[in-house]
Amino acid sequence: MKSVVGMVVSNKMQKSVVVAVDRLFHHKLYNRYVKRTSKFMAHDENNLCNIGDRVKLDPSRPLSKRKNWVVAEILKKARIYVPPSASDSAAPKTKGTKTSTSSTS
């Protein structure tokens, strides 16, 4: 087996990730290119992978029932959206407001 490149779709396990690997092949009857996706369980020793990361997998000996791959390297980290916290969004609102005290007499 040779190394494959895929996208991490799940990292909910300890030291394991699920990687989706896409492949294109030419269908002779339809004369079209067809895309197929395979999911592989891979060993991630330091839990460095996140969902959306592009990783390279190397084959290894069977590590468990379904885990026969090891994450060799992370090719591209995913951009993770971090929403602003409640304290950050509340601070500009109170800073910019003015209180006007006008008396009508």
Side-chain angles (χ1 to χ4, degrees):
M1 289 193 292
K2 61 181 185 178
S3 57
V4 293
V5 175
M7 191 82 64
V8 176
V9 293
S10 174
N11 65 345
K12 293 183 178 181
M13 298 160 282
Q14 297 174 0
K15 296 188 177 186
S16 298
V17 291
V18 178
V19 179
V21 177
D22 294 332
R23 63 185 174 93
L24 277 176
F25 65 94
H26 187 261
H27 198 288
K28 291 180 181 176
L29 181 63
Y30 298 140
N31 199 20
R32 300 265 191 274
Y33 281 97
V34 182
K35 183 169 97 170
R36 292 281 187 254
T37 303
S38 301
K39 286 186 187 179
F40 298 117
M41 298 262 299
H43 184 68
D44 180 21
E45 180 63 36
N46 299 321
N47 289 325
L48 297 176
C49 295
N50 287 318
I51 295 175
D53 288 351
R54 193 155 183 79
V55 295
K56 179 181 174 186
L57 301 179
D58 283 340
S60 74
R61 63 179 179 83
L63 299 170
S64 68
K65 182 179 177 181
R66 294 184 53 214
K67 198 159 59 164
N68 299 321
W69 298 87
V70 174
V71 175
E73 63 178 309
I74 299 174
L75 301 174
K76 186 177 179 185
K77 296 292 280 183
R79 291 174 41 193
I80 300 171
Y81 173 73
V82 179
S85 63
S87 62
D88 292 342
S89 62
K93 291 180 182 177
T94 58
K95 195 182 265 188
T97 59
K98 292 183 179 179
T99 56
S100 62
T101 56
S102 62
S103 60
T104 54
S105 51

